[in-house]
Amino acid sequence: AQKITQTQPGMFVQEKEAVTLDCTYDTSDPSYGLFWYKQPSSGEMIFLIYQGSYDQQNATEGRYSLNFQKARKSANLVISASQLGDSAMYFCAMRDSEYTGGFKTIFGAGTRLFVKA
Amino acid sequence: DAGITQSPRHKVTETGTPVTLRCHQTENHRYMYWYRQDPGHGLRLIHYSYGVKDTDKGEVSDGYSVSRSKTEDFLLTLESATSSQTSVYFCAISESLLAGRTETQYFGPGTRLLVL
């Protein structure tokens, strides 16, 4: 069954340092998409980065990069040069195809990141 | 930012009353989704739509119905609200479903619903 696991409920990082948020997934579908979203205290869900299962290179979007290790089924988010505004909840998500029942996108439980000044 | 609005943004209602939440998009995206977010459960898909009048169930669809009569609007209805439906509801849109980056879902601001 499809599953997303984020093992770090909360993390602290010093401002200007890099931080890695862990995400592992489980699917039997060879075609899937992986996403990271940020949810600040204001509540909105902000898309950060996308990685397709057939993409050869790790995705990058500004200070965000996705460390995609397909064999290990891991899709860790790396935030470089942390800023105070990065304090938020971060969700890893996966979309795959259930050919008998449509499709499904599932979300992990999230990791709360605290950036210290 | 994707043009997605949700109304109302906050609502308090009583058990047994019908409630309709509206999602409106200006991006002309084909796919629209309704999620609920609850502590300990993350985001869970309620229903989604792949075109006007074309909808399908998600993983937590019991007690909810949806309608999409126009590309830009996707309505979520709680026919008879229960306290277990107290949650934050998010609408999302995507350009495609299974086609690389264009399948990325963009979320509306959310609606906080309290059922007393």
Side-chain angles (χ1 to χ4, degrees), chain A residues 37 39 43 50 61 95 103, chain B residues 37 90 98 100-101 103 105:
Chain A
Y37 290 89
Q39 187 174 42
Y50 167 84
E61 294 280 352
R95 185 281 306 154
F103 89 104
Chain B
Q37 184 178 28
F90 285 98
L98 301 170
R101 187 184 170 86
E103 66 176 334
Q105 295 180 26

Side-chain angles (χ1 to χ4, degrees), chain A residues 32-35 37 39 41-45 47 49-50 61 91 95-97 99 101-109, chain B residues 9 33 35 37 40-45 48 56-57 59 90 97-109 112:
Chain A
Y32 51 90
L34 296 159
F35 310 83
Y37 290 89
Q39 187 174 42
S41 58
S42 52
E44 70 267 35
M45 292 286 290
F47 166 70
I49 197 165
Y50 167 84
E61 294 280 352
F91 292 96
R95 185 281 306 154
D96 66 8
S97 310
Y99 294 106
F103 89 104
K104 190 173 184 179
T105 297
I106 57 172
F107 287 77
Chain B
R9 294 293 312 280
Y33 314 81
Y35 290 88
Q37 184 178 28
H41 291 279
L43 278 92
R44 293 179 292 175
L45 182 66
Y48 69 100
D56 206 349
K57 296 179 180 180
E59 61 180 309
F90 285 98
L97 185 55
L98 301 170
R101 187 184 170 86
T102 57
E103 66 176 334
T104 298
Q105 295 180 26
Y106 295 92
F107 285 80
R112 290 186 176 275

Side-chain angles (χ1 to χ4, degrees), chain A residues 59-95:
Chain A
T60 61
E61 294 280 352
R63 294 187 298 113
Y64 304 106
S65 60
L66 200 152
N67 184 1
F68 181 44
Q69 299 187 42
K70 195 170 183 177
R72 297 180 59 184
K73 293 188 175 179
S74 105
N76 297 340
L77 177 70
V78 180
I79 306 175
S80 64
S82 297
Q83 302 172 356
L84 295 178
D86 293 335
S87 293
M89 182 74 88
Y90 290 81
F91 292 96
C92 179
M94 176 179 70
R95 185 281 306 154

Side-chain angles (χ1 to χ4, degrees), chain B residues 2 4 8-10 14 19 22 24 26 28 41 53 56 70 75 77 83 92 95 100 114:
Chain B
I4 312 167
R9 294 293 312 280
H10 303 271
E14 294 185 347
V19 176
R22 180 181 183 239
H24 178 78
T26 58
N28 201 35
H41 291 279
K53 300 191 188 304
D56 206 349
K70 297 185 290 184
L75 304 181
T77 297
S83 58
E95 187 175 351
L114 175 61

Side-chain angles (χ1 to χ4, degrees), chain A residues 1-65:
Chain A
Q2 303 89 346
K3 189 177 180 181
I4 290 277
T5 302
Q6 295 181 253
T7 58
Q8 307 152 313
M11 288 190 67
F12 286 88
V13 64
Q14 194 68 39
E15 191 179 12
K16 299 181 184 178
E17 292 184 350
V19 63
T20 297
L21 306 184
D22 294 341
C23 173
T24 58
Y25 59 92
D26 190 18
T27 179
S28 57
D29 193 337
S31 173
Y32 51 90
L34 296 159
F35 310 83
W36 277 92
Y37 290 89
K38 172 184 178 182
Q39 187 174 42
S41 58
S42 52
E44 70 267 35
M45 292 286 290
I46 302 167
F47 166 70
L48 296 178
I49 197 165
Y50 167 84
Q51 180 84 42
S53 59
Y54 293 117
D55 292 344
Q56 295 297 312
Q57 294 188 325
N58 288 344
T60 61
E61 294 280 352
R63 294 187 298 113
Y64 304 106
S65 60

